[in-house]
């Protein structure tokens, strides 16, 4: 049995926790948490998503997404409207305030990634990013099974 100190799960846990600490700290002056910043990023990337789509893409609990979207709506970053096809579902769209925050959030995500990969070469960083995306997309697709 492998030692937990050498486990990829420990590494993933450290990367997740440290990146959220860094993102929380950098977004605090804008009165945003890391979780809120990530939702601004994904909703702006897609321009409109349902709460269910956000939940699926981020792999988080529905109640966490609902609470975070509600906070963003209260603060003027998101607009939530009933879905035309399914009244039980909400469509989430970014406001002008979200679009103004979007470049800053993108920059902070890049800073976090550069920080965690600072000891890698450019080619290692590119490969690491590719492998992370592959693992994340594979994990998300398993929810469809």
């Amino acid at each position: 049995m492998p030692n937990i100190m050498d486990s990829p799960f420990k590494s993933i846990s450290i990367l997740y926790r440290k990146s959220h600490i860094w993102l929380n700290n950098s977004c605090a002056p804008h009165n945003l948490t890391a979780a809120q910043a990530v939702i601004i990023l994904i909703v702006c990337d897609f321009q409109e998503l349902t709460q269910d789509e956000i939940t699926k893409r981020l792999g988080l609990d529905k109640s966490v997404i609902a609470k975070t979207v509600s906070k963003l709506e209260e603060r003027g970053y998101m607009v939530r409207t009933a879905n035309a096809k399914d009244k039980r579902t909400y469509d989430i769209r970014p406001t002008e305030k979200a679009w103004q925050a979007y470049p800053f959030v993108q920059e902070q995500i890049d800073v976090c990634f550069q920080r965690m990969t600072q000891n890698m070469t450019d080619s290692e960083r590119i490969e690491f990013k590719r492998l992370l995306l592959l693992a994340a997309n594979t994990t998300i697709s398993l929810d469809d099974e």
Side-chain angles (χ1 to χ4, degrees), residues 80-96:
R80 181 174 22 190
T81 56
N83 183 282
K85 295 177 184 172
D86 183 353
K87 298 297 181 195
R88 299 168 297 162
T89 303
Y90 290 104
D91 294 325
I92 312 300
R93 289 186 322 282
T95 64
E96 184 58 35

Side-chain angles (χ1 to χ4, degrees), residues 5-77:
M5 297 309 287
D6 298 327
S7 167
F9 289 100
K10 179 180 181 257
S11 299
I12 291 167
S13 178
I14 290 168
L15 291 174
Y16 174 80
R17 185 71 195 124
K18 290 293 188 179
S19 64
H20 265 253
I21 289 169
W22 296 336
L23 194 54
N24 271 326
N25 290 339
S26 65
C27 290
H30 295 273
N31 199 25
L32 290 171
T33 66
Q36 292 166 343
V38 170
I39 289 180
I40 287 172
L41 198 65
I42 194 169
V43 173
C44 286
D45 280 349
F46 288 90
Q47 300 182 20
E48 180 178 284
L49 289 170
T50 65
Q51 278 187 206
D52 289 342
E53 289 169 330
I54 297 169
T55 298
K56 181 180 177 188
R57 291 180 187 281
L58 295 179
L60 296 172
D61 186 69
K62 286 182 180 189
S63 66
V64 171
I65 296 298
K67 288 175 189 174
T68 306
V69 167
S70 290
K71 284 281 189 196
L72 288 168
E73 188 178 29
E74 288 170 19
R75 294 181 180 164
Y77 287 98

Side-chain angles (χ1 to χ4, degrees), residues 111-122:
V111 166
C112 287
F113 189 74
Q114 289 300 322
R115 194 171 180 186
M116 75 172 63
T117 60
Q118 64 186 327
N119 292 332
M120 294 181 188
T121 65
D122 287 342

